[in-house]
């Protein structure tokens, strides 16, 4: 089994773009999805990302920080999952019910296992 990071990117927000009834349905579907991943032993962590993120970048010891978002896309949340391979990780990403509610992209990143030298 491998670990993967699923990064959810949206151009909207389920918190503000959905009616109260749609939001309740979204939360119910999302909870069921998360519950199934937990039951299957596939989920390590999942959380929404709050406003106020800062991008830190630089090179050669010169760092700059600030809210440099150059796109309408925002990172809405993440899932840290366990899957057999990339195909299963992609299938898990595709099953996320957020696609039913707002325009979303999910990046699927394999996490490299790094072991400390002995």
């Amino acid at each position: 089994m491998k670990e993967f990071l699923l990064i959810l990117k949206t151009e909207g927000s389920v918190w503000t773009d959905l009616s109260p009834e749609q939001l309740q349905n979204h939360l119910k579907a999302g909870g069921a999805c998360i519950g199934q991943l937990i039951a299957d032993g596939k989920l390590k962590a999942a959380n929404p990302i709050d406003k106020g993120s800062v991008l830190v970048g630089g090179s050669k010891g010169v760092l700059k920080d600030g809210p440099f978002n150059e796109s309408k896309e925002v990172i809405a949340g993440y899932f840290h999952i366990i899957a057999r391979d990339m195909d299963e990780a992609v299938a898990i990403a595709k099953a996320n019910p957020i696609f039913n509610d707002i325009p979303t992209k999910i990046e699927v990143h394999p996490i490299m296992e790094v072991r400390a030298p002995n």
Side-chain angles (χ1 to χ4, degrees):
M1 297 300 262
K2 291 187 54 103
E3 294 184 23
F4 294 85
L5 183 64
L6 310 183
I7 300 174
L8 287 72
K9 292 185 172 184
T10 69
E11 290 188 17
S13 169
V14 295
W15 310 113
T16 57
D17 293 354
L18 301 179
S19 71
E21 182 181 351
Q22 289 172 317
L23 180 58
Q24 285 296 74
N25 291 336
H26 171 77
L27 293 174
K28 185 177 178 180
C33 176
I34 288 171
Q36 188 61 56
L37 289 172
I38 291 169
D40 293 343
K42 300 289 182 184
L43 186 66
K44 293 194 76 144
N47 286 295
I49 301 295
D50 204 354
K51 294 179 182 176
S53 298
V54 173
L55 176 66
V56 177
S59 63
K60 298 184 182 179
V62 178
L63 294 177
K64 296 178 181 180
D65 62 330
F68 301 126
N69 194 4
E70 298 176 8
S71 166
K72 291 182 181 181
E73 279 187 345
V74 295
I75 296 176
Y78 72 92
F79 284 69
H80 181 178
I81 64 165
I82 299 170
R84 283 185 314 277
D85 53 27
M86 179 61 84
D87 290 338
E88 183 182 24
V90 167
I92 290 170
K94 286 180 176 180
N96 193 305
I98 196 169
F99 290 115
N100 298 327
D101 299 318
I102 60 173
T104 303
K105 296 176 186 173
I106 299 180
E107 294 180 3
V108 180
H109 298 274
I111 297 174
M112 183 183 300
E113 183 178 337
V114 179
R115 297 180 188 210
N118 294 343

